Amino acid sequence: MVDDMVARPDAWREAIEATRASMIYNLGRGGEVAGAYLLDRVLAKQAEREEERSARHDR
C-alpha cells in the first residue's frame, strides 16, 4: 500500500480529500458553525425560561 501511495500520490490525494470531504462537515469553519449553533441553543433556552416565568407570573 505504501509503495502504491508513493507511486501514485495524486490518486491518493484525491481519494483522501474525497473521504475527508464526505466525513468532516464544515471543513475549515467548524468552530464558527459550532459557536453559532451553541449560541442559538442558549438563546432558545433563555426564551423558553422567560416564557415559563411570564406564564407563572400571569397566574
Side-chain angles (χ1 to χ4, degrees), residues 34-56:
Y37 172 79
L38 292 172
L39 179 59
D40 287 344
R41 297 304 308 143
V42 167
L43 294 175
K45 191 63 172 178
Q46 284 179 340
E48 284 177 29
R49 288 183 179 168
E50 283 298 319
E51 288 176 14
E52 290 172 2
R53 285 186 195 125
S54 292
R56 276 188 258 137

Side-chain angles (χ1 to χ4, degrees), residues 7-59:
R8 300 179 324 123
D10 291 335
W12 278 96
R13 182 180 308 108
E14 290 172 11
I16 292 168
E17 287 175 358
T19 300
R20 181 183 65 183
S22 72
M23 300 183 89
I24 300 174
Y25 300 99
N26 303 308
L27 190 61
R29 7 182 331 258
E32 175 188 347
V33 172
Y37 172 79
L38 292 172
L39 179 59
D40 287 344
R41 297 304 308 143
V42 167
L43 294 175
K45 191 63 172 178
Q46 284 179 340
E48 284 177 29
R49 288 183 179 168
E50 283 298 319
E51 288 176 14
E52 290 172 2
R53 285 186 195 125
S54 292
R56 276 188 258 137
H57 181 67
D58 291 342
R59 290 183 190 174

